[in-house]
Amino acid sequence: MVSFQQKSVIVTGAGSGIGYEICHQFATRGAFVGLNDINPTLAEEAASKINQEVGEEQVIPYCFDVANTASLQKAIHSHAEKHARLDIVVANAGLTDYGSALQYMPESFDRLMNVNLRGSYFTAQYAAKEMIARNTKNGRIILMSSVAGAQAIPNLGAYGISKAGIIHMTRVLALELGNRGITVNAICPGATLTERTKLEDPDYADNWARVIPTGRVVDVKDIASAVEFLASQDSGQITGQNLHVDGGWIISSPVPDQAIDNPQSGN
């Protein structure tokens, strides 16, 4: 088990789902975690639940919208200041929005890009500045892309564009921050079972398991474990990379007949 004892970590979009499990794993391994969510109740309840489990106040909730750069910068600075360091930042906050290319609206596109692309970029920028200012050794920035950023999926075009941008963002930031002792990598989750996906499709796990080579849907723990590896000292020479955690789906990329983003629905 990797130890993150006394490390200072921030995870955005972490009130539930993938982000929550990332915070949970870091906290159980000794890190001081800043847990962000746009929903204040969700952020506070998530932090409280993890703290009760680990038996210590390891997690602090921060409520802000990552598209609001002033709030984003203030929270990152506050967390770094509180613990006199910042070691790891996971830009997990993001929106998933469906819509065909011919019907997608400008206001929806702008909101999606502001959260997914702009929010991720400035999370990384502000985190890097804090790491540099505090002479952080082995800083880690992990961005959350998606298989939709590497493979075109019907009715996920705008979302896919935002996630493809994160893949290139990873390379650019890795290039510019490498000489500062900071690695930057992205994770591309595949079909992942979360509260949201179960709500959208009660048969989500079974539908996607049928088209995933490993025969099962991705679990949030699978993503959190990948984050843990990229945040560890063992990954020091890995930067600018995109790690697919999808059970091999990207190999051929079939979409289940009953998936809500199937081309037969929503066009």
Side-chain angles (χ1 to χ4, degrees), residues 30-100:
F32 297 115
V33 182
L35 184 157
N36 154 256
D37 200 273
I38 194 171
N39 183 323
T41 302
L42 204 57
E44 291 167 8
E45 289 179 350
S48 177
K49 183 178 178 180
I50 297 172
N51 285 334
Q52 287 178 10
E53 182 176 335
V54 299
E56 295 184 47
E57 294 296 310
Q58 296 288 113
V59 184
I60 300 173
Y62 294 95
C63 178
F64 60 87
D65 181 349
V66 295
N68 184 324
T69 53
S71 297
L72 175 63
Q73 185 175 29
K74 180 180 179 180
I76 291 174
H77 176 73
S78 175
H79 192 72
E81 188 79 7
K82 179 176 179 62
H83 301 291
R85 62 188 298 166
L86 183 61
D87 301 283
I88 301 160
V89 170
V90 184
N92 175 71
L95 297 176
T96 302
D97 196 26
Y98 300 96
S100 69

Side-chain angles (χ1 to χ4, degrees), residues 4-9 30-33 85 87-88 137 233:
F4 292 98
Q5 200 71 32
Q6 303 300 307
K7 296 288 187 180
S8 174
V9 180
F32 297 115
V33 182
R85 62 188 298 166
D87 301 283
I88 301 160
K137 307 299 181 186
Q233 298 308 301

Side-chain angles (χ1 to χ4, degrees), residues 123-164:
T123 297
Q125 185 196 89
Y126 297 146
K129 287 182 177 180
E130 290 290 344
M131 290 175 182
I132 293 167
R134 297 171 192 281
N135 296 311
T136 299
K137 307 299 181 186
N138 304 313
R140 299 285 189 264
I141 295 174
I142 300 166
L143 308 177
M144 202 60 68
S145 183
S146 168
V147 292
Q151 180 64 279
I153 301 175
N155 297 314
L156 276 175
Y159 173 79
I161 290 167
S162 73
K163 293 299 185 176

Side-chain angles (χ1 to χ4, degrees), residues 28-259:
T28 58
R29 285 151 177 73
F32 297 115
V33 182
L35 184 157
N36 154 256
D37 200 273
I38 194 171
N39 183 323
T41 302
L42 204 57
E44 291 167 8
E45 289 179 350
S48 177
K49 183 178 178 180
I50 297 172
N51 285 334
Q52 287 178 10
E53 182 176 335
V54 299
E56 295 184 47
E57 294 296 310
Q58 296 288 113
V59 184
I60 300 173
Y62 294 95
C63 178
F64 60 87
D65 181 349
V66 295
N68 184 324
T69 53
S71 297
L72 175 63
Q73 185 175 29
K74 180 180 179 180
I76 291 174
H77 176 73
S78 175
H79 192 72
E81 188 79 7
K82 179 176 179 62
H83 301 291
R85 62 188 298 166
L86 183 61
D87 301 283
I88 301 160
V89 170
V90 184
N92 175 71
L95 297 176
T96 302
D97 196 26
Y98 300 96
S100 69
L102 293 177
Q103 297 174 343
Y104 210 74
M105 301 302 291
E107 56 271 23
S108 297
F109 189 89
D110 290 346
R111 176 60 180 163
L112 192 71
M113 295 301 160
N114 280 338
V115 173
N116 293 6
L117 206 53
R118 187 171 183 264
S120 295
Y121 184 86
F122 286 102
T123 297
Q125 185 196 89
Y126 297 146
K129 287 182 177 180
E130 290 290 344
M131 290 175 182
I132 293 167
R134 297 171 192 281
N135 296 311
T136 299
K137 307 299 181 186
N138 304 313
R140 299 285 189 264
I141 295 174
I142 300 166
L143 308 177
M144 202 60 68
S145 183
S146 168
V147 292
Q151 180 64 279
I153 301 175
N155 297 314
L156 276 175
Y159 173 79
I161 290 167
S162 73
K163 293 299 185 176
I166 290 174
I167 291 174
H168 189 67
M169 185 191 303
T170 301
R171 301 185 185 112
V172 171
L173 294 176
L175 179 65
E176 294 198 21
L177 297 176
N179 65 355
R180 301 286 194 159
I182 301 170
T183 65
V184 185
N185 291 288
I187 289 176
C188 294
T192 306
L193 189 63
T194 66
E195 293 92 334
R196 178 184 62 80
T197 56
K198 282 188 289 187
L199 183 63
E200 292 176 344
D201 177 7
D203 298 319
Y204 186 88
D206 290 338
N207 286 336
W208 279 97
R210 285 193 287 268
V211 298
I212 295 174
T214 59
R216 73 170 178 88
V217 73
V218 179
D219 188 88
V220 292
K221 293 181 179 178
D222 298 318
I223 309 300
S225 294
V227 169
E228 181 183 315
F229 168 67
L230 291 175
S232 73
Q233 298 308 301
D234 293 335
S235 66
Q237 282 298 91
I238 300 174
T239 193
Q241 304 304 307
N242 306 291
L243 177 60
H244 287 89
V245 184
D246 64 352
W249 179 84
I250 199 71
I251 297 166
S252 59
S253 308
V255 177
D257 291 338
Q258 302 304 317

